[in-house]
Amino acid sequence: MPIERTLSIIKPDATRRDLTGKINTRFEEVGLRIAAQRRIHLTLDQAQGFYAVHKDRAFFDDLCKFMISGPVVVQVLEGENAIAKNREIMGATNPANADQGTIRKDFAESIEANSVHGSDSPKTAALEISYFFNELDIVG
Ligand code: IDP
Ligand code: MG
């Protein structure tokens, strides 16, 4: 299995409830090392840029408003098969459809306020990591 890096974001609904530590434990328990991490408050421009792929979706404006409603924790996770492994432990976008024991099943408030983001492919991971981190910030 390849060692990969993926971009993770702990979203405002989770930072508001101080769930960063509990969520980070989920990553470390499955062998995803937190190789970089920063707590920031996104600007509207930054949120819109990050989610540009969704700019034509009906939920785009609300999603960007939600993402700037409080701090987020942006992080690089590193480990074997990190991209797919993170998506697996995150669970489905809508917590109502998420498997038992996943982060979204256990912590998400709604389909929008669903606690975590994770890159969905190697190409997206590289792009999303470079949106927030320099190579020198990442220590695996
Ligand atoms: P993902 O985060 O599971 O990859 P995406 O389809 O990429 O899901 O959507 C990005 C984010 O947009 C979701 O995590 C969620 O916060 C929000 N979102 C997606 N679909 C909806 C929706 O139907 N209503 C409201 N928000 C949504
Ligand atoms: Mg996505």
Side-chain angles (χ1 to χ4, degrees), residues 11 51 53-54 57-60 62-63 66-67 87 90-94 104 110-120:
K11 295 186 180 182
Y51 277 123
V53 60
H54 294 309
R57 308 292 292 274
F59 60 77
F60 179 72
D62 276 350
L63 171 62
F66 162 63
M67 289 299 288
R87 294 291 306 194
M90 285 166 59
T93 308
N94 186 345
R104 283 168 165 171
S110 67
I111 187 169
E112 178 181 81
N114 60 4
S115 301
V116 281
H117 167 86
S119 309
D120 62 9

Side-chain angles (χ1 to χ4, degrees), residues 6 19 24 39 46 48 52 58-59 67 74 99 115 123 131 140:
T6 191
L19 292 170
N24 279 348
R39 182 174 166 103
Q46 288 172 328
Q48 288 171 337
F59 60 77
M67 289 299 288
V74 293
D99 288 342
S115 301
K123 198 172 147 204
Y131 196 79

Side-chain angles (χ1 to χ4, degrees), residues 2 17 74 77 109-110 118:
R17 288 173 288 151
V74 293
L77 306 181
E109 294 181 327
S110 67

